[in-house]
Every structure is written in C-alpha cells, then in structure tokens.
C-alpha cells in the first residue's frame, strides 16, 4: 500500500484506503469510516474527496467526518448509480481508492467569529455540513447564535440519528428538524425548511448562513434568508456538479465562470445567484 | 386572565389589525383545547371554524388507501389550521390531528364571513393576512411534490 496522502506524488492517482466501519444511515445511505496507511492529508469542513470504487469508477464525495482520535475519516454515500452503489456496498476490510481533499470549504474559521451562524441542510446535504457543525460547536463560545435547520423526505431518511438526537438536546444549538411527509407516529415538524426559518432567534445583519441540499431547496432558502435581512454575501451554498479531474483541468464541473472543483463547492450566494436560474448550466 | 380580544391582539397574524377589527373578531371567537391524538376536523366535514394555534402542534393528514394516514404539514403556534372555511363549499379537504396537547382560538367561520360581508374593509384586511399563508403553503406543496430530496440533482 502506498504511503499516506501527505507525500502523495500525483493528485490524479488514488491512494488505497480501507473501510473499517460501515453504518446504515437510511434505506439507501451508508456511512463508511476509512483508514489510511499513513496520516490523512489535512482537510477542511466542506471539502470533498474523489472516491474510486475498484473496477467501477470515481465520484466526488464530501467529507462527512474528519479523522478523530480513532484516525478514521468518514464519508456518507447515497446509493443512486453504479459508482455510489459500489461504494455503499463496500464492507469492512475492503479497499477503495481516494484522491483529495479538494475544493474550498465552509467559512467556519475566523470568518465565523462573533457571527450568528445558521446551517440549513436538505437531505444528504447534512453530510458536508456535519464537520462544519462539529467545528462550530467546538468553538461555540466565540460565536453568536448557532442554529441547524434540517429537512428531509421522511423520518426513515434522517441521517446521523444518534448525533441528531444529541444536537436537539444541546442547549447551545437551535436545532429544528422537519420532514416532507410522515406517518401519524411522527410528532415533529412536517413541511419545507423555509417554514422554520422565522422561528430562529438571530440577528440577520450579523448572520452567516451555510446551505447544502438540492438546488431548489438552496435557492428558496437563500431567497427566504435574504428576505429576512441576511446579506446575500453572507449566504454560502455548496454546489454539486459532476466531476472528473477535480483539479481544475478538465472543465467538466464548470458552473458559469467557476470550476466547482477548484473554486467551490462552497460558493457565495451573491456570486452564484444569477447562474442558479440558468437552466443550461 | 386575558380576554379573547387581548389574545387575538397578541397573535402576529392579527397584531396590526387594529382594535376595532380585533374586537369584531373576538365576537366570533372562543378558546379551544385539543388533547394529543384528537382531531380538530375530518375530511368532508363542514368547514365552520377557523383555528389559530397558540400552543402545541397540529398535523394535516390525508388518509391514503393501503398506506394508512399520511401527514404532509404541521402547523404550530401563531399559525392557522386550514383555509377551507374561506372558500365555498366550506368543507374540509383534509383531516387535522393534534400531535401534542394543543391550545388555540377557534373562530366561528359563519360569523367571520358575515362580518366580512358587512364590512368589506375587514374582509380585505383579513384577505391580506390569509392570502400570503395560502401562497406560502402552495409553494411549499409544490416543493414537496417535486420530491427534491428523492430525485436527481439538476446537474
Ligand atoms: C462536491 C460534491 C460533493 C458530493 N458529495 C456527495 C456525498 O457526500 N455523498 C454522495 O452520495 N454523493 C455526493 N456527491 C454526488 C456524487 O459525486 C455522485 O454524483 C453520485 O454519487 C452519483 O454518482 P453515480 O455514478 O453513482 O450515479 P450516476 O450514474 O451519476 O447517476 C445514476 C442515477 O442517479 C441519479 N443521481 C445522481 N446523483 C444523485 C443524487 N445525489 N441524488 C439522487 N439521484 C442522483 C442520476 O441522475 C442518475 O439517474 C457529491 C458531488 C459533488 C460534486
Ligand atoms: S472536475 Fe475537472 S475541472 Fe473540475
């Protein structure tokens, strides 16, 4: 096995990593905890890796958990096509290839200091926001308000349930969860995420909003936050486009003037808003 | 204990309605409570009340053959439950079930409608408050129908 990523010679060549743990998050979504022979290259919340399912292909997958004390890096994968299914099917002990990390992450460093930080996640969008929320909770005292609004299709689709339950109990965090539809046993909120935004206690002029989810959901959420007084330049979206090189060379992930793999995936709303309504890109 | 007029004036939906209209509404209002699991109304029932919630949560529910009940919207404090009382034939289109113990104000819909007919300024003021609610719910339903979390991204 090649040495760990720190001295990786070629960013186009995947390093072999091993699945150590696999957890079913929902009927079609799996979290894999990966082990690397050497040290993991440092990553930032919001960045992604290219994961290679042996013999099948490669896909961009966000980092959903940075290596903790156990040294395992987490990715959360929804099985929808050939590559994601092959990745989600990997069992502990099996190997896959990994290149990365790539891209620009969430502004959760000094930029967040003193700000009221709102995270709005839709569906699998909670995966890239999870490391951001954990980083923000680690430095909770340096922030103003902190809120997570999470919407998904139905109760069976909720990700990271144990952690979600802890977040909902955590008094340092305003945590609201809503689903599109549910059976009568669900006692929580039902409806789209934007319905919950007016309930958040925060100062719009001082806010920093991080959105991740399907584009329709991000567009409507960004517009709703703007209408509540959050400046467009304080709203960040994580954009998804299919990728190939992830190095800013092939142009596959072009989004207007930006290459999502190099300039994103996290982009500022005021910069992408005009492009969000252009159907051809 | 607060009067109904005070309670109505405290609700964001009616806060800026002015004392005269608030008094008119209070004349049609009463306090209501529903325990968790009980129904405020059922599909097909006459829509003879307008409910404004003060505490708790109510789910709008559709009975889907073979799938049991399906909840598609929850309504919380400060929000109204259902709008079928506004438009003929004044029949509820869905079931509404309290998911937690719930308190609210119920307005006699016939009484409110009669007062709106008698005073179009009240009717217009109320329409301006209910129309955004309707529009917001319509947009939300479209978003839900698109099943954005289940379908492919637009790449
Ligand atoms: C920056 C970035 C981060 C990403 N992070 C993640 C992540 O953390 N986890 C993850 O699972 N995926 C993530 N993706 C998406 C991932 O890269 C793949 O696009 C996805 O896994 C599908 O690839 P596939 O080859 O398996 O399916 P494809 O063969 O590309 O698609 C098969 C079918 O599934 C549909 N489809 C594709 N993607 C989705 C989707 N997301 N939801 C529903 N249907 C879809 C396609 O339209 C097609 O009909 C990310 C993408 C980007 C650009
Ligand atoms: S994937 Fe090649 S330029 Fe972005």
């Amino acid at each position: 096995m090649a040495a760990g990523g720190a001295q990786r010679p070629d960013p186009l060549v995947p390093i072999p990593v091993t699945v150590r743990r696999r957890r079913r998050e929902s009927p079609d979504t799996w979290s894999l905890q990966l082990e690397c022979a050497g040290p993991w290259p440092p990553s930032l919340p919001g960045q992604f890796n290219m994961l290679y399912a042996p013999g099948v292909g490669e896909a961009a997958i966000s980092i959903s958990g940075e290596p903790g004390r156990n040294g395992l890096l987490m990715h959360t994968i929804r099985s929808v096509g050939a590559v994601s299914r092959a990745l989600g099917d990997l069992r502990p002990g099996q190997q896959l290839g990994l290149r990365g990390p790539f891209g620009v992450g969430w502004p959760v460093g000094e930029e967040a200091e003193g700000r009221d930080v709102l995270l709005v996640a839709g569906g699998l969008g909670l995966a890239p926001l999870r490391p951001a929320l954990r980083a923000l909770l680690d430095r909770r005292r340096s922030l103003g308000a902190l809120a997570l609004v999470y919407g998904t299709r139905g109760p069976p689709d909720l990700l990271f349930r144990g952690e979600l339950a802890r977040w909902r109990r955590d008094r340092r965090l305003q945590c609201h969860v809503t689903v599109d539809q549910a059976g009568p046993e669900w006692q929580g909120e039902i409806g789209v995420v934007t319905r919950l935004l007016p309930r958040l206690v925060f100062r719009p002029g001082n806010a920093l909003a991080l959105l991740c989810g399907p584009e329709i959901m991000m567009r409507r959420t960004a517009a709703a936050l703007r209408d509540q007084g959050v400046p467009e330049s304080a709203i960040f979206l994580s954009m998804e486009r299919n990728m190939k090189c992830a190095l800013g060379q092939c142009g596959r992930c072009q989004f207007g003037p930006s290459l999502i793999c190099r300039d994103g995936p996290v982009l500022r709303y005021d910069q992408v808003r005009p492009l969000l309504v252009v159907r051809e890109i | 204990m607060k009067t109904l007029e005070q309670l109505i004036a405290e609700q964001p939906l009616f806060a800026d309605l002015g004392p005269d209209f608030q008094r008119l509404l209070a004349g049609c209002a009463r306090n209501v409570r529903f325990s968790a699991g009980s129904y405020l109304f059922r599909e097909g029932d006459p829509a003879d009340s307008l409910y404004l919630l003060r505490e708790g949560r109510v789910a709008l529910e559709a009975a889907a053959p073979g799938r049991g009940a399906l909840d598609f919207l929850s309504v919380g404090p400060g929000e109204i439950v259902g709008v079928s009382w506004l438009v003929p034939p004044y029949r509820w289109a869905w079931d509404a079930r309290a998911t937690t113990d719930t308190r609210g104000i119920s307005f006699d819909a016939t009484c409110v409608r009669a007062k709106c007919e008698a005073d179009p300024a009240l009717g217009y003021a109320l329409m301006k408050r209910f129309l955004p609610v309707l529009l917001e719910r319509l947009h939300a339903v479209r978003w839900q129908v698109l099943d954005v979390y289940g379908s492919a991204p637009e790449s």
Side-chain angles (χ1 to χ4, degrees), chain A residues 76-97:
Chain A
T76 301
I77 298 147
R78 183 165 175 215
S79 298
V80 292
V83 177
S84 50
R85 213 166 285 135
L87 290 169
D89 282 349
L90 289 168
R91 297 293 196 277
Q94 290 189 293
Q95 285 201 330
L96 64 151

Side-chain angles (χ1 to χ4, degrees), chain A:
Chain A
M1 185 186 279
Q7 309 92 37
R8 234 173 33 252
D10 185 346
L12 278 170
V13 179
I15 55 162
V17 298
T18 309
V19 177
R20 279 295 159 229
R21 293 185 192 156
R22 175 180 190 259
R23 190 180 62 211
R24 187 177 194 174
E25 299 284 357
S26 76
D28 61 0
T29 305
W30 306 88
S31 282
L32 302 181
Q33 299 208 36
L34 307 177
E35 185 181 66
C36 180
W40 287 106
S43 58
L44 297 167
Q47 285 192 304
F48 66 94
N49 285 315
M50 296 298 289
L51 299 190
Y52 174 69
V56 185
E58 218 182 22
I61 305 289
S62 304
I63 296 170
S64 59
E66 290 173 71
R69 253 172 286 162
N70 63 8
L72 302 179
L73 179 92
M74 189 162 105
H75 281 290
T76 301
I77 298 147
R78 183 165 175 215
S79 298
V80 292
V83 177
S84 50
R85 213 166 285 135
L87 290 169
D89 282 349
L90 289 168
R91 297 293 196 277
Q94 290 189 293
Q95 285 201 330
L96 64 151
L98 179 148
R99 303 189 283 130
F102 299 112
V104 178
W106 301 108
V108 291
E110 279 173 15
E111 314 91 309
E113 210 104 310
R115 306 281 289 273
D116 291 357
V117 188
L118 318 178
L119 287 71
V120 187
L124 191 59
L126 187 59
L129 280 171
R130 178 177 177 266
L133 180 57
R134 287 162 67 106
L136 291 163
L137 283 168
D138 281 348
R139 39 198 293 267
R140 180 65 188 88
R141 281 167 191 273
S142 70
L143 310 172
L146 181 61
L148 169 70
V149 177
Y150 172 38
T152 193
R153 193 189 214 177
D157 304 300
L158 291 168
L159 305 179
F160 315 129
R161 281 173 205 218
E163 215 166 4
L164 198 58
R166 282 198 297 282
W167 288 337
R168 292 173 89 162
R169 286 194 302 268
D170 192 331
R171 300 173 70 100
R172 301 171 303 161
L173 176 69
Q174 302 173 51
C175 182
H176 297 277
V177 176
T178 184
V179 296
D180 273 351
Q181 50 176 255
E185 65 290 346
W186 170 257
Q187 295 194 344
E189 301 286 349
I190 305 165
V192 297
V193 284
T194 45
R195 278 176 58 76
L196 300 177
L197 301 176
R199 302 209 195 147
L200 303 181
V201 182
F202 70 103
R203 298 159 293 174
N206 186 49
L208 181 65
L210 317 180
L211 321 183
C212 191
E215 254 176 64
I216 299 180
M217 168 260 161
M218 289 198 289
R219 271 202 322 257
R220 297 193 63 88
T221 304
L225 287 171
R226 184 190 56 198
D227 294 344
Q228 276 183 255
V230 179
E232 290 190 355
S233 59
I235 302 174
F236 292 80
L237 288 67
S238 182
M239 300 300 303
E240 250 188 46
R241 286 293 178 276
N242 282 337
M243 300 207 174
K244 197 163 182 184
C245 71
L247 291 166
Q249 290 169 1
C250 73
R252 173 86 181 266
C253 66
Q254 180 145 11
F255 180 62
S258 307
L259 293 172
I260 299 282
C261 68
R262 184 193 64 196
D263 311 317
V266 175
L267 294 169
R268 248 173 49 194
Y269 180 52
D270 57 339
Q271 292 163 344
V272 297
R273 184 171 52 81
L275 298 172
L276 286 174
V277 291
V278 181
R279 294 180 185 199
E280 290 74 25
I281 56 177

